[in-house]
Amino acid sequence: LREETGLSPAEFVIQVRLGRAQALLAETDLTVPAIARQGGYDDPAYFSRLFARRVGEPPTTFRASQPG
């Protein structure tokens, strides 16, 4: 996996999960806790902190900045 993506398996999983979360935030009205659970995160607060660190803004701010 590292040869193909340049990422460790754990990092790859995080990126896939956060990419899916970004899509759900932009395209649905699901709550942040529901999106966290769908992404495999049992703790919505942890998910929100991780999202903010990796994406650069909290999930609610990210959603508000999406067109539509």
Side-chain angles (χ1 to χ4, degrees), residues 1 5 7-17:
L1 185 64
T5 66
L7 303 171
S8 70
E11 183 63 30
F12 181 78
V13 169
I14 290 170
Q15 286 201 3
V16 168
R17 287 177 170 181

Side-chain angles (χ1 to χ4, degrees), residues 12-67:
F12 181 78
V13 169
I14 290 170
Q15 286 201 3
V16 168
R17 287 177 170 181
L18 292 180
R20 176 74 176 135
Q22 287 176 304
L24 290 172
L25 286 163
E27 300 166 4
T28 73
D29 292 329
L30 290 171
T31 64
V32 172
I35 291 170
R37 281 190 299 276
Q38 282 195 13
Y41 297 98
D42 293 330
D43 182 352
Y46 172 77
F47 165 76
S48 291
R49 288 191 307 272
L50 177 65
F51 188 97
R53 267 197 319 268
R54 297 297 183 100
V55 177
E57 58 190 350
T60 52
T61 305
F62 177 85
R63 174 177 269 162
S65 71
Q66 299 305 298

